[in-house]
Every structure is written in C-alpha cells, then in structure tokens.
Amino acid sequence: MISNTTRQSNRIEGLDLLRVLAILCVVFIHTMPSEIQDIGYFNNLSESSKIFYFICFAVGRLGVPLFMLLSGYLLLSREYDQKNTELFYKKNFLSLLLTWEIWIIIYNLLVTWFRGSDFHISAVVKNMLFVEAVTHDVFNAWYMEMILGIYLFIPFLSRVLKTMSSREIAVLSAIFFIYLFIVPTLNQFRSTNLACSLDLNFSGGIYGFYLIAGYLLKRYENQFRNAFKPLAIPAGLACITALVLLQMLANTSEHLYLLWYDFCLLPIASMLIFVYFRDVSGVNLHGLITNISTCSFGIYLFHIVYLALFWHYETFDNLFSDKLRIFFLFISAFILSFISVIILKKIPHLGKLLVR
C-alpha cells in the first residue's frame, strides 16, 4: 500500500477511487482458499469452478499493480532537494517502518496464538531487523518488505528519471518489460524454461517497473490521456478477459498456473484502468470513497487478522458453497477492517502509530 502518502486538503477524487479499487482487489485475492495452490485439489475442480478462480485471480491481481502505479505517480514526480529528501525519509519511510515494526509484533503474537506455540523474541527481532522473513502465515508481509526497500531509493530514482530523455526511458522500459514480463509469461506455455541471466534486481524487479510506470503516467499524463482514455475501458476489459483465457491455456493436469504479477498483460491492464479512473469525479458517495482511501493502508494491515480469525474458527465453512464463502469472507473482512481503522484513527497517537 502507499500508506496515505497524500494527505493534502484538496484530494484528487480519481486517485482516491483508484486506491479504493486497489484495496478491494487486494482483500479479495487474499480470500482465495490456500488449497487452491495444490495441483491435485485444482485438477479435481469442475471446469466452471476453475474458470471462477481464473476470474478471481485476474481481478484480484490488479490490486498491487494499482498501488505501485499510485506510488510512482505521486512520489517519483516530486522534487527532491535536500530538505524534501530529509522530509520524505522522516515522514514517509521512517513512519512506515515504525508502523510495520509494531505490526510484526502483533502478527507474531497472533500466529503464536493460532498455532498454540511459544512466542520467540529472537524470531521477532530477526523479523524486525529484516534478517529473517516474517512467517508465511502472514501473507501480506512480502509487500511491506518490498515497499520499504523501494522507498529507500525513491528520492534517488526520482532524480535519475528526471534527467533522462523520453528515448532513454523508452529503451530501458522495453528491456525491462521483455525480461521481467515477456520471458516469465512465455515460460508458462513451454515445456522448458527460458532462463534470464540478466540481473535486473537493482531496478526493483517487476515492482520497480510498476513504480516507474506510475511515474511515466504522471510525466506523460496528457499523452496517455489523449491516446488511451477513449478506449481504456474496452481495452482493459479485453486484457482481463485475455488474462482469464491465457490462464486456462497455460494450465494442464501437470502444470498449475494462477496469475502472478509478472504476467505481461497485467501491467497493461492496470495502466489502462489507471488512465481511465484518474479523471473520474462525482462518485465520492458523500465522502465514502475518500474515507476508504485514507484508511486503505490500515485495511491492508487489519484484513489479514480478520481472515485468520474466520479461517481459524471456520466461521463460514458450513454455511455456504465455496464461491459464496469467498464473497462473505471478502465483504466481512473488508467492512470489519474499515470499521477498525476508523475507530483507531479517533484515538490520538495510537491511530497514527498503527494505521497512519
């Protein structure tokens, strides 16, 4: 999440709406059952159930790209002189780091409770020092670790991008896109893998690409708007439909592929959605969109807690079909997280520490 990096009084309604769409997608994708990753379980599903999950992944996977595009759009376009750089590290990076360190403790306590195991201080300290990954049970932790790493280089990257010509950016973007997206996509349709030996990790990998794409959406805003907005919705829907169909094509009885962020159509679909919704206005629903937008980071942190509780106590397991259960989990976790963040924000200092 971008953790409410824009708290200006004159908010941009389209960006708030994009942030809401992003957090909805993220919460939704996290409601997928864990057994869906097992090829044996997946092969035993009916064809309609498989298509249902392909659609869920095509929609849900849009969340992280939209958040990264928003971060690049808002953060990389800033001017970073010495004063602004120091301010960024203090108000953005350090405050985000502090909030995440607190949640590392909270998550570890919850995992200990659910597992009925001992609480190990040494493991928590390693998590907080980033020398050991947070347990895979906390399946949103990877994003926080990734975004904190990227935040370290935001001022530097912003300065570099501003000195580059359009041609230089186009050439580098093409190279990154080929090796970060085209090659992994082709690998889903081949019996042998194409091994990419070109190390692009310094660029932030696929997430760095999304971040820079967000900056380009800002830098060339008028060009993107004029060229793509008229066709953004049908082209975006076509991309999402293609994501579903290509997942169907990539899957065999021996090979399970559920969409990931390095699939080549995902950045295209997310950029088309961004271009269209950037200028949308008049849909704030009496401030509801803005309220959800400003709570999106807190919702991201809280929804894992509620999903874990629902799964632990098998809240909806005997009440609904698999498909209905996903939607009830999604709606319940989202609403409860939103309410929790609203309540916390009313508590001075504590709310700022926990949900920013």
Side-chain angles (χ1 to χ4, degrees):
M1 308 314 98
I2 65 174
S3 64
N4 302 332
T5 53
T6 55
R7 290 192 175 95
Q8 70 269 32
S9 57
N10 297 319
R11 300 186 66 87
I12 300 173
E13 191 173 337
L15 297 183
D16 279 341
L17 181 58
L18 280 164
R19 198 175 288 106
V20 171
L21 291 174
I23 192 60
L24 285 169
C25 288
V26 167
V27 176
F28 181 66
I29 196 64
H30 285 164
T31 61
M32 298 298 107
S34 59
E35 57 266 24
I36 200 68
Q37 303 288 343
D38 179 75
I39 191 169
Y41 175 87
F42 194 84
N43 285 338
N44 288 327
L45 293 173
S46 66
E47 287 303 312
S48 62
S49 292
K50 291 178 182 178
I51 293 172
F52 169 77
Y53 283 116
F54 290 148
I55 294 171
C56 288
F57 276 86
V59 173
R61 289 293 188 224
L62 290 167
V64 166
L66 287 175
F67 272 122
M68 296 306 297
L69 291 175
L70 280 162
S71 293
Y73 183 94
L74 293 167
L75 297 178
L76 289 178
S77 58
R78 295 181 184 177
E79 294 297 328
Y80 289 96
D81 55 20
Q82 181 177 346
K83 180 180 178 181
N84 287 339
T85 299
E86 291 174 355
L87 192 64
F88 172 81
Y89 283 124
K90 179 181 178 181
K91 294 207 167 181
N92 291 88
F93 177 77
L94 289 179
S95 60
L96 180 62
L97 176 62
L98 177 59
T99 297
W100 178 237
E101 298 283 36
I102 295 170
W103 277 90
I104 285 175
I105 298 172
I106 294 172
Y107 286 145
N108 272 280
L109 286 169
L110 287 171
V111 169
T112 299
W113 174 37
F114 288 138
R115 287 180 176 176
S117 57
D118 295 329
F119 182 79
H120 297 289
I121 294 292
S122 60
V124 176
V125 171
K126 289 178 182 178
N127 293 162
M128 296 174 73
L129 292 175
F130 301 100
V131 293
E132 183 177 286
V134 179
T135 171
H136 67 273
D137 293 317
V138 184
F139 46 85
N140 64 339
W142 72 269
Y143 181 91
M144 294 303 303
E145 293 160 353
M146 177 272 293
I147 201 68
L148 282 166
I150 282 181
Y151 265 37
L152 281 171
F153 296 96
I154 287 285
F156 171 77
L157 181 57
S158 175
R159 292 173 192 161
V160 171
L161 288 170
K162 289 183 175 66
T163 66
M164 296 178 68
S165 67
S166 298
R167 177 173 293 191
E168 290 169 333
I169 291 176
V171 170
L172 285 176
S173 296
I175 293 172
F176 291 157
F177 188 76
I178 289 170
Y179 287 99
L180 293 174
F181 293 93
I182 297 295
V183 170
T185 299
L186 290 176
N187 281 335
Q188 302 307 323
F189 303 93
R190 291 172 54 92
S191 57
T192 58
N193 284 343
L194 296 170
C196 177
S197 59
L198 186 64
D199 189 352
L200 297 175
N201 288 327
F202 76 95
S203 66
I206 57 175
Y207 307 107
F209 183 92
Y210 284 115
L211 188 81
I212 294 171
Y215 164 77
L216 297 179
L217 287 170
K218 177 67 173 179
R219 177 167 168 171
Y220 303 106
E221 191 159 32
N222 290 332
Q223 293 92 321
F224 276 107
R225 182 183 290 118
N226 295 334
F228 299 112
K229 188 173 180 180
L231 296 174
I233 289 299
L237 290 173
C239 281
I240 294 172
T241 302
L243 288 172
V244 175
L245 295 175
L246 289 172
Q247 284 181 95
M248 294 171 63
L249 184 62
N251 275 272
T252 65
S253 58
E254 295 83 25
H255 176 71
L256 174 61
Y257 177 68
L258 297 171
L259 192 65
W260 191 246
Y261 301 113
D262 58 0
F263 200 87
C264 65
L265 288 181
L266 203 54
I268 298 171
S270 56
M271 290 177 73
L272 287 168
I273 291 170
F274 192 102
V275 169
Y276 181 82
F277 285 100
R278 162 62 181 83
D279 297 323
V280 169
S281 60
V283 293
N284 205 0
L285 304 177
H286 304 288
L288 179 61
I289 297 298
T290 296
N291 284 332
I292 296 175
S293 175
T294 57
C295 292
S296 61
F297 180 60
I299 293 171
Y300 181 77
L301 295 170
F302 259 109
H303 81 281
I304 299 295
V305 176
Y306 287 113
L307 286 177
L309 286 168
F310 292 144
W311 285 324
H312 184 73
Y313 292 107
E314 302 178 347
T315 308
F316 300 117
D317 284 14
N318 298 319
L319 298 178
F320 310 108
S321 67
D322 289 344
K323 299 180 182 68
L324 278 177
R325 188 183 308 127
I326 286 172
F327 287 104
F328 274 91
L329 280 169
F330 164 61
I331 293 167
S332 301
F334 187 86
I335 291 175
L336 288 172
S337 299
F338 180 44
I339 293 171
S340 299
V341 177
I342 290 291
I343 293 172
L344 264 180
K345 279 180 172 286
K346 296 183 181 297
I347 304 174
H349 306 302
L350 183 61
K352 188 174 182 179
L353 274 176
L354 289 177
V355 295
R356 293 174 54 79

